Amino acid sequence: MCWRRAMWKRTVSANGTISDARQENVGVEDIIARTLETIPLRRYGTPEGYARLAAFLLSEENDYVSGQQVLYDGGLVVAN
């Protein structure tokens, strides 16, 4: 292993809109519906989907992505 690679930091931070069962229990269905209209994929991300992205970025399978911010937002930033 290259000495530089050993010094790399891999960090993952949450971004985007993540679905949560609590959202459906607080009576904000109209707000949720309007928010979904702004997301090109017309759905929220899921904790499981975010975990798969994080697992890839932190894995040895990812041997070249470095210094990037990967948005897990269903295309929201690009559309706006």
PDB file of all heavy atoms in Angstrom, residues 46-59:
ATOM      1  N   THR A  46     -33.666   6.352   0.950  1.00  0.00           N
ATOM      2  CA  THR A  46     -33.911   5.502   2.112  1.00  0.00           C
ATOM      3  C   THR A  46     -32.626   5.364   2.921  1.00  0.00           C
ATOM      4  O   THR A  46     -31.523   5.510   2.378  1.00  0.00           O
ATOM      5  CB  THR A  46     -34.359   4.096   1.686  1.00  0.00           C
ATOM      6  OG1 THR A  46     -33.297   3.470   0.945  1.00  0.00           O
ATOM      7  CG2 THR A  46     -35.620   4.153   0.831  1.00  0.00           C
ATOM      8  N   PRO A  47     -32.759   5.079   4.199  1.00  0.00           N
ATOM      9  CA  PRO A  47     -31.548   4.827   4.989  1.00  0.00           C
ATOM     10  C   PRO A  47     -30.722   3.682   4.398  1.00  0.00           C
ATOM     11  O   PRO A  47     -29.495   3.739   4.397  1.00  0.00           O
ATOM     12  CB  PRO A  47     -32.095   4.477   6.375  1.00  0.00           C
ATOM     13  CG  PRO A  47     -33.423   5.169   6.436  1.00  0.00           C
ATOM     14  CD  PRO A  47     -33.962   5.073   5.030  1.00  0.00           C
ATOM     15  N   GLU A  48     -31.395   2.669   3.865  1.00  0.00           N
ATOM     16  CA  GLU A  48     -30.683   1.536   3.273  1.00  0.00           C
ATOM     17  C   GLU A  48     -29.912   1.953   2.018  1.00  0.00           C
ATOM     18  O   GLU A  48     -28.778   1.518   1.807  1.00  0.00           O
ATOM     19  CB  GLU A  48     -31.656   0.404   2.935  1.00  0.00           C
ATOM     20  CG  GLU A  48     -32.347  -0.210   4.129  1.00  0.00           C
ATOM     21  CD  GLU A  48     -33.549   0.593   4.631  1.00  0.00           C
ATOM     22  OE1 GLU A  48     -34.007   1.528   3.941  1.00  0.00           O
ATOM     23  OE2 GLU A  48     -34.019   0.285   5.738  1.00  0.00           O
ATOM     24  N   GLY A  49     -30.511   2.794   1.187  1.00  0.00           N
ATOM     25  CA  GLY A  49     -29.827   3.286  -0.006  1.00  0.00           C
ATOM     26  C   GLY A  49     -28.616   4.133   0.351  1.00  0.00           C
ATOM     27  O   GLY A  49     -27.551   4.019  -0.260  1.00  0.00           O
ATOM     28  N   TYR A  50     -28.787   4.985   1.350  1.00  0.00           N
ATOM     29  CA  TYR A  50     -27.670   5.804   1.805  1.00  0.00           C
ATOM     30  C   TYR A  50     -26.557   4.919   2.370  1.00  0.00           C
ATOM     31  O   TYR A  50     -25.377   5.149   2.116  1.00  0.00           O
ATOM     32  CB  TYR A  50     -28.147   6.811   2.858  1.00  0.00           C
ATOM     33  CG  TYR A  50     -27.056   7.758   3.265  1.00  0.00           C
ATOM     34  CD1 TYR A  50     -26.713   8.827   2.452  1.00  0.00           C
ATOM     35  CD2 TYR A  50     -26.346   7.558   4.429  1.00  0.00           C
ATOM     36  CE1 TYR A  50     -25.686   9.686   2.798  1.00  0.00           C
ATOM     37  CE2 TYR A  50     -25.319   8.415   4.791  1.00  0.00           C
ATOM     38  CZ  TYR A  50     -24.999   9.477   3.977  1.00  0.00           C
ATOM     39  OH  TYR A  50     -23.978  10.304   4.312  1.00  0.00           O
ATOM     40  N   ALA A  51     -26.952   3.887   3.095  1.00  0.00           N
ATOM     41  CA  ALA A  51     -25.954   2.970   3.661  1.00  0.00           C
ATOM     42  C   ALA A  51     -25.178   2.257   2.558  1.00  0.00           C
ATOM     43  O   ALA A  51     -23.960   2.061   2.681  1.00  0.00           O
ATOM     44  CB  ALA A  51     -26.634   1.953   4.580  1.00  0.00           C
ATOM     45  N   ARG A  52     -25.863   1.873   1.463  1.00  0.00           N
ATOM     46  CA  ARG A  52     -25.163   1.222   0.349  1.00  0.00           C
ATOM     47  C   ARG A  52     -24.152   2.179  -0.281  1.00  0.00           C
ATOM     48  O   ARG A  52     -23.034   1.788  -0.620  1.00  0.00           O
ATOM     49  CB  ARG A  52     -26.158   0.721  -0.694  1.00  0.00           C
ATOM     50  CG  ARG A  52     -26.921  -0.509  -0.264  1.00  0.00           C
ATOM     51  CD  ARG A  52     -27.718  -1.125  -1.401  1.00  0.00           C
ATOM     52  NE  ARG A  52     -28.678  -0.216  -2.005  1.00  0.00           N
ATOM     53  CZ  ARG A  52     -29.932  -0.046  -1.565  1.00  0.00           C
ATOM     54  NH1 ARG A  52     -30.375  -0.740  -0.536  1.00  0.00           N
ATOM     55  NH2 ARG A  52     -30.736   0.797  -2.170  1.00  0.00           N
ATOM     56  N   LEU A  53     -24.536   3.438  -0.442  1.00  0.00           N
ATOM     57  CA  LEU A  53     -23.610   4.431  -0.988  1.00  0.00           C
ATOM     58  C   LEU A  53     -22.414   4.613  -0.060  1.00  0.00           C
ATOM     59  O   LEU A  53     -21.260   4.590  -0.504  1.00  0.00           O
ATOM     60  CB  LEU A  53     -24.323   5.771  -1.193  1.00  0.00           C
ATOM     61  CG  LEU A  53     -23.430   6.946  -1.586  1.00  0.00           C
ATOM     62  CD1 LEU A  53     -22.734   6.684  -2.920  1.00  0.00           C
ATOM     63  CD2 LEU A  53     -24.236   8.221  -1.636  1.00  0.00           C
ATOM     64  N   ALA A  54     -22.676   4.765   1.213  1.00  0.00           N
ATOM     65  CA  ALA A  54     -21.588   4.948   2.175  1.00  0.00           C
ATOM     66  C   ALA A  54     -20.675   3.723   2.202  1.00  0.00           C
ATOM     67  O   ALA A  54     -19.450   3.863   2.234  1.00  0.00           O
ATOM     68  CB  ALA A  54     -22.160   5.212   3.572  1.00  0.00           C
ATOM     69  N   ALA A  55     -21.271   2.537   2.166  1.00  0.00           N
ATOM     70  CA  ALA A  55     -20.470   1.308   2.187  1.00  0.00           C
ATOM     71  C   ALA A  55     -19.551   1.249   0.971  1.00  0.00           C
ATOM     72  O   ALA A  55     -18.375   0.867   1.087  1.00  0.00           O
ATOM     73  CB  ALA A  55     -21.380   0.084   2.241  1.00  0.00           C
ATOM     74  N   PHE A  56     -20.073   1.625  -0.198  1.00  0.00           N
ATOM     75  CA  PHE A  56     -19.225   1.638  -1.390  1.00  0.00           C
ATOM     76  C   PHE A  56     -18.085   2.635  -1.245  1.00  0.00           C
ATOM     77  O   PHE A  56     -16.924   2.316  -1.509  1.00  0.00           O
ATOM     78  CB  PHE A  56     -20.028   1.952  -2.653  1.00  0.00           C
ATOM     79  CG  PHE A  56     -19.142   2.263  -3.820  1.00  0.00           C
ATOM     80  CD1 PHE A  56     -18.431   1.254  -4.452  1.00  0.00           C
ATOM     81  CD2 PHE A  56     -18.977   3.566  -4.260  1.00  0.00           C
ATOM     82  CE1 PHE A  56     -17.570   1.540  -5.510  1.00  0.00           C
ATOM     83  CE2 PHE A  56     -18.121   3.864  -5.313  1.00  0.00           C
ATOM     84  CZ  PHE A  56     -17.419   2.848  -5.942  1.00  0.00           C
ATOM     85  N   LEU A  57     -18.402   3.850  -0.836  1.00  0.00           N
ATOM     86  CA  LEU A  57     -17.376   4.885  -0.736  1.00  0.00           C
ATOM     87  C   LEU A  57     -16.290   4.518   0.275  1.00  0.00           C
ATOM     88  O   LEU A  57     -15.131   4.891   0.102  1.00  0.00           O
ATOM     89  CB  LEU A  57     -18.008   6.227  -0.370  1.00  0.00           C
ATOM     90  CG  LEU A  57     -18.882   6.848  -1.458  1.00  0.00           C
ATOM     91  CD1 LEU A  57     -19.591   8.072  -0.915  1.00  0.00           C
ATOM     92  CD2 LEU A  57     -18.067   7.185  -2.698  1.00  0.00           C
ATOM     93  N   LEU A  58     -16.651   3.788   1.299  1.00  0.00           N
ATOM     94  CA  LEU A  58     -15.694   3.414   2.344  1.00  0.00           C
ATOM     95  C   LEU A  58     -15.004   2.087   2.073  1.00  0.00           C
ATOM     96  O   LEU A  58     -14.096   1.705   2.794  1.00  0.00           O
ATOM     97  CB  LEU A  58     -16.405   3.367   3.696  1.00  0.00           C
ATOM     98  CG  LEU A  58     -16.983   4.708   4.150  1.00  0.00           C
ATOM     99  CD1 LEU A  58     -17.847   4.517   5.384  1.00  0.00           C
ATOM    100  CD2 LEU A  58     -15.880   5.709   4.420  1.00  0.00           C
ATOM    101  N   SER A  59     -15.426   1.397   1.020  1.00  0.00           N
ATOM    102  CA  SER A  59     -14.899   0.056   0.757  1.00  0.00           C
ATOM    103  C   SER A  59     -13.634   0.091  -0.092  1.00  0.00           C
ATOM    104  O   SER A  59     -13.281   1.108  -0.687  1.00  0.00           O
ATOM    105  CB  SER A  59     -15.952  -0.780   0.033  1.00  0.00           C
ATOM    106  OG  SER A  59     -16.049  -0.378  -1.329  1.00  0.00           O
TER     107      SER A  59
END
